Amino acid sequence: MILGVHAWVARGLDRVLGEAREHETSALQTLPYRRHHVPGADELSSFRAERAALGLRILLVHSRYAPALASSHEALRARSVRHLTEELRLAAGLGGDAYVVHAGPYSPGSDAEAGIRLFAESVARAVGESGFRGPVLVENVPGGGRRIGGSLEDLARILDALSARVAAAACLDTAHAWAAGYELSTAEGALRFVARAHRLLGDRVRAFHLNDSRALFHSHRESHWHLGRGRLGLEGLKVLLEREEYADVPAILETPKEPGADAENLKVARALSRLAR
Ligand SMILES: [Zn+2]
Ligand SMILES: [Zn+2]
């Protein structure tokens, strides 16, 4: 896997790429804008120029705010689509190679099938209006309740619904998979997860989020934690990092941004496999 970190956009867009430079990673993930500040054309073009000079291979842009893309509530969903369109426009402006999004919950009284259909419509509409050309990566979530995308089956159904209309693939988050009930703490569990991902998603896995978790197994809770220091541990993560078929797939750390933590987590990942670069 091609390792990268999730950059801290709150410090300013001009400092985002510095994180890839500092850690010598070929991949990076960022949010499309920081709170209360949407970058203008000048900021976007200087970001692209700096990225070209740096030679950063893969830039993922993660959605900041699009919570109701699968909602049956027309006005709510329309608002989410408008936000998504704006974020995708910024992702294009940043030169993002792919855009990561969660499906969100379906509405009370509705079901997953209807939610998936609405989500696909929402995303297709936003992509069409935004000018973003990279693939949309749908991320697995901790699942539970009405949340769509906790299972690999959900992701496969979402991608089937989406791919007729837009370029789409999957992003697999290890902490979310753990919370959704995939036993990633053991080598056997990780291998079962890979086998299932192959069967359901084939070559449509285009990114990983590499996180340990403090949450209990199958708890549907999210609590990203430093690699090897949470409940997942390193045995399963090592199996994922050793997979040849994912050698060129970006793997982003979304672990807590404490001082020195990114460097330490990258060191841990790199020590697990020569394929973790
Ligand atoms: Zn995410
Ligand atoms: Zn994630």
Side-chain angles (χ1 to χ4, degrees):
M1 296 187 194
I2 301 172
L3 298 174
V5 298
H6 178 86
W8 205 1
V9 76
R11 297 190 301 178
L13 201 53
D14 55 333
R15 293 177 67 177
V16 161
L17 290 164
E19 297 201 30
R21 194 179 297 116
E22 180 189 342
H23 299 299
E24 297 179 357
T25 62
S26 304
L28 193 72
Q29 177 173 279
T30 185
L31 299 178
Y33 62 96
R34 70 178 198 262
R35 202 177 289 276
H36 307 309
H37 180 83
V38 174
D42 285 355
E43 265 179 282
L44 294 173
S45 81
S46 62
F47 182 92
R48 288 196 306 274
E50 191 192 340
R51 188 242 171 124
L54 177 65
L56 178 73
R57 196 165 146 198
I58 298 161
L59 176 70
L60 303 182
V61 179
H62 191 295
S63 70
R64 171 152 206 147
Y65 185 78
L69 294 166
S71 170
S72 308
H73 190 298
E74 203 53 53
L76 257 182
R77 191 159 61 88
R79 196 163 69 201
S80 274
V81 171
R82 278 199 300 280
H83 278 288
L84 181 62
T85 307
E86 173 65 1
E87 292 200 6
L88 286 163
R89 191 186 65 73
L90 290 169
L94 292 166
D97 299 300
Y99 178 87
V100 184
V101 68
H102 306 185
Y106 59 82
S107 294
S110 182
D111 58 31
E113 198 186 324
I116 286 170
R117 189 171 40 76
L118 289 169
F119 175 73
E121 271 173 29
S122 300
V123 171
R125 186 155 15 120
V127 169
E129 285 168 18
S130 70
F132 182 72
R133 298 193 195 294
V136 170
L137 305 185
V138 183
E139 181 178 354
N140 65 313
V141 295
R146 290 179 285 103
R147 287 184 288 184
I148 307 168
S151 67
L152 297 175
E153 283 80 0
D154 270 7
L155 287 192
R157 280 194 287 268
I158 292 169
L159 296 186
D160 289 345
L162 264 179
S163 4
R165 311 159 82 159
V166 297
C171 170
L172 300 181
D173 185 307
T174 54
H176 296 176
W178 167 257
Y182 293 99
E183 234 290 33
L184 287 183
S185 66
T186 65
E188 293 78 13
L191 282 170
R192 270 198 303 276
F193 181 71
V194 169
R196 203 148 167 164
H198 281 180
R199 195 169 70 243
L200 292 163
L201 302 170
D203 62 359
R204 296 182 293 180
V205 177
R206 298 289 166 75
F208 281 87
H209 286 163
L210 211 56
N211 303 308
D212 205 324
S213 178
R214 284 187 299 185
L216 289 172
F217 177 63
H218 211 166
S219 60
H220 301 307
R221 288 180 190 280
E222 178 155 11
S223 183
H224 292 192
W225 201 238
H226 305 290
L227 300 191
R229 285 162 55 190
R231 294 183 192 274
L232 256 86
L234 297 175
E235 190 181 310
L237 292 185
K238 181 177 168 64
V239 165
L240 297 180
L241 285 166
E242 292 274 28
R243 301 297 301 187
E244 296 272 357
E245 70 271 37
Y246 299 138
D248 288 324
V249 173
I252 303 294
L253 293 166
E254 294 176 320
T255 40
K257 303 285 278 187
E258 289 146 11
D262 279 347
E264 181 58 31
N265 283 311
L266 284 166
K267 202 167 106 188
V268 169
R270 283 168 177 148
L272 283 177
S273 166
R274 63 176 176 85
L275 293 177
R277 293 166 287 152

